[in-house]
Every structure is written in structure tokens, then in C-alpha cells.
């Protein structure tokens, strides 16, 4: 699958000194390559989450297009875009986004239950939870988890559907080094199997996994050496 950004930018309305808008991401072209890990680093507030949310079909760019295999994500209606995102994308959002009324296992299975029975995926969900070291928490409600446990649950949830495109916003933010390496090894495995993996991080360990490294600086994305 090919994910491409064609001249995307994003303005937010926000009162400043002389203006009432703010250019969070300046005009950017970008290609996400299958089978590789692409990492974006950059200071807090530089525009990383804004940029990857546009790529993930979650935030409409102010200008430009996001093309998945040539199809403009934002020309589709909501239902089609949601379905495509559910099938093709594994998204690990920044922050904690588990549904508190569901158990860990139910949270992990929730993306596949949306359009098909999750039963066939239960084994895979348990394998992912085991690999991530939280198998024993499968029946626990997500709001009873620690930050790092919630993070690992979100990672399992993002990977359950075997996505071709994985977009991870600080996936190792709450994790110790051992768990960080586990998560990055897992993402690497998906890349080796052909997925395009995009990681936003402040983590030096994650940077070592990058096939391609970019830096976001004040809304400008550039290749980093
Ligand atoms: N919905 C919004 N409305 C107004 N401003 C926003 C909105 N979302 C983000 N911003 C602003 O855009 C800028 C970039 O935000 P963004 O979340 O993309 O940064 P980031 O690089 O991901 O930072 P961090 O490393 O802290 O997560 C910030 O200054 C933020 O305040
Ligand atoms: Mg962010």
C-alpha cells in the first residue's frame, strides 16, 4: 500500500500577537514506504501529532491531499474513510484512549469486532497481549491499568487487524527500556512483513530502529541526519 501526502498543511485558529491563526504544519510532501520504519522526532509543539493525524485520516489538512493507493482520503465520505482506516491502518494515538467500559481483551478486539466477529481473532489478541507482557490483565477494565499497561493495550489494539500501515504517536512514551525494546521489535516484525511503520518519538532507542529519520521543526518536516 502506498501512503502519500501531497502538499499538506494545517492551520489552527488561535489568537496570537498579530494574528488569529497558527500554522501548525507547513506545506509538506511525504511518502511512507512499505517494509520500512520511518521515525519523526522534534520538539514538543512542533507539529508531529498534527502531521501524522492528517496522514492517518483523522484530521483534514487545510490544503493538499493524503493519497492511499492514489485515493484521496478526504474526498471519501466519513463511512468509507472510517472503514478504510479500520482495515488498513493500525493507529497508536498519543495519550490514553482505551474504552473504560471494556476489558483489555475487549478493547484489543474492538477494531475487528466493528465489521466482523472478533472470535477468530481472540487467539491473536492473546498472543499479542502475551508478547507485550499483559496477558494476565485480559479481563481487567482498561481504567484500572497503569499508563504503561494502557499503552501496551493500545499497541495490541492497533496491531490486531494486521494493518498495512501503522502510525504510532510516542508508542513507548510510558515504557521502561525492556518493554520499549519489545514494542519496537514487534513493530519491526510488522515492517519486515511488509507494513509501512511511522513512529513519532522522543525516545533514543526508537530512533535506532529508523530506516528513515525526519525532524519536525516549527511545522517544517525535513530529513534528519
Ligand atoms: N486543535 C487544535 N487547535 C489549536 N491549536 C492546536 C490544536 N492541535 C494542536 N494545536 C497546536 O499546534 C501545535 C502543534 O501541536 P502538535 O500536537 O502537533 O505538537 P507535537 O509536536 O505533537 O507535540 P508533543 O511532542 O508535545 O506531542 C501546538 O502548538 C498546539 O498547541
Ligand atoms: Mg504530539
Amino acid at each position: 500500500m502506498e501512503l502519500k501526502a501531497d502538499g499538506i498543511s494545517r492551520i489552527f485558529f488561535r489568537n496570537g500577537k498579530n494574528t488569529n491563526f497558527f500554522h501548525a504544519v507547513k506545506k509538506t510532501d511525504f511518502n511512507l514506504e512499505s517494509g520500512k520504519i520511518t521515525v519523526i522526532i522534534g520538539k514538543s509543539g512542533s507539529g508531529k501529532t498534527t502531521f501524522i493525524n492528517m496522514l492517518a485520516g483523522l484530521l483534514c489538512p487545510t490544503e493538499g491531499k493524503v493519497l492511499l493507493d492514489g485515493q484521496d482520503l478526504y474526498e471519501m465520505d466519513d463511512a468509507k474513510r472510517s472503514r478504510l482506516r479500520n482495515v488498513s491502518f493500525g493507529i497508536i494515538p498519543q495519550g490514553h484512549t482505551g474504552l473504560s467500559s471494556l476489558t483489555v481483551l475487549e478493547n484489543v478486539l474492538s477494531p475487528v469486532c466493528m465489521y466482523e466477529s472478533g472470535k477468530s481473532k481472540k487467539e491473536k489478541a492473546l498472543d499479542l497481549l502475551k508478547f507485550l507482557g499483559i496477558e494476565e490483565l485480559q479481563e481487567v477494565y482498561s481504567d484500572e491499568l497503569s499508563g504503561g499497561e494502557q499503552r501496551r493495550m493500545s499497541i495490541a489494539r492497533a496491531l490486531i487487524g494486521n494493518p498495512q500501515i501503522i502510525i504510532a504517536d510516542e508508542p513507548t512514551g510510558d515504557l521502561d527500556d525492556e518493554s520499549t525494546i519489545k514494542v519496537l521489535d514487534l513493530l519491526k516484525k510488522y515492517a519486515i512483513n511488509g507494513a509501512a511503520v511511522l513512529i513519532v518519538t522522543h525516545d533514543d532507542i526508537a530512533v535506532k530502529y529508523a530506516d528513515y529519520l525526519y525532524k519536525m521543526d516549527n511545522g517544517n518536516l525535513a530529513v534528519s541526519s
Side-chain angles (χ1 to χ4, degrees):
M1 274 193 145
E2 190 191 50
L3 185 66
K4 202 174 157 205
D6 196 357
I8 58 170
S9 75
R10 177 70 202 203
I11 289 171
F12 289 119
F13 290 96
R14 181 164 96 178
N15 287 329
K17 260 189 188 160
N18 302 312
T19 61
N20 61 355
F21 67 90
F22 170 71
H23 225 136
V25 173
K26 316 258 169 63
K27 202 170 173 178
T28 307
D29 294 325
F30 185 76
N31 280 316
L32 190 64
E33 200 175 315
S34 297
K36 303 284 184 200
I37 295 185
T38 301
V39 170
I40 301 178
I41 55 172
K43 279 191 194 155
S44 179
S46 60
K48 305 179 300 296
T49 296
T50 305
F51 179 66
I52 66 168
N53 282 348
M54 291 192 283
L55 288 179
L58 295 168
L59 178 70
C60 186
T62 304
E63 63 174 336
K65 292 177 176 175
V66 178
L67 303 162
L68 182 67
D69 287 340
Q71 275 187 289
D72 186 341
L73 284 186
Y74 295 97
E75 286 224 320
M76 297 170 192
D77 61 40
D78 266 0
K80 188 172 175 197
R81 187 169 54 249
S82 296
R83 174 142 209 161
L84 193 70
R85 205 169 45 224
N86 193 278
V87 171
S88 307
F89 288 70
I91 299 169
I92 303 165
Q94 188 167 25
H96 296 296
T97 55
L99 293 171
S100 57
S101 58
L102 301 182
T103 65
V104 168
L105 184 60
E106 287 166 347
N107 264 286
V108 171
L109 286 170
S110 60
V112 281
C113 289
M114 206 89 78
Y115 298 106
E116 54 178 291
S117 156
K119 269 193 187 147
S120 59
K121 293 281 189 207
K122 188 172 171 191
E123 208 172 309
K124 177 161 188 199
L126 291 174
D127 281 350
L128 282 165
L129 291 176
K130 191 170 180 185
F131 184 87
L132 293 165
I134 51 169
E135 192 196 20
E136 74 281 9
L137 299 173
Q138 58 179 283
E139 298 301 335
V140 169
Y141 286 92
S142 74
D143 58 354
E144 294 163 11
L145 301 178
S146 74
E149 289 163 350
Q150 287 202 40
R151 172 75 47 211
R152 284 178 279 165
M153 179 185 78
S154 310
I155 293 164
R157 185 185 57 192
L159 300 177
I160 188 73
N162 234 349
Q164 280 306 293
I165 295 169
I166 298 168
I167 297 185
D169 201 347
E170 304 196 28
T172 61
D174 307 287
L175 302 181
D176 58 79
D177 285 0
E178 193 186 327
S179 304
T180 292
I181 289 169
K182 257 192 186 171
V183 166
L184 292 165
D185 283 345
L186 187 59
L187 294 175
K188 177 92 195 161
K189 205 164 100 187
Y190 277 76
I192 288 169
N193 286 331
V197 179
L198 178 61
I199 302 173
V200 163
T201 192
H202 292 287
D203 190 331
D204 289 341
I205 303 176
V207 169
K208 294 201 183 99
Y209 282 71
D211 295 301
Y212 302 112
L213 183 63
Y214 289 84
K215 186 170 185 181
M216 185 67 85
D217 184 12
N218 227 345
N220 293 299
L221 188 73
V223 174
S224 178
S225 45

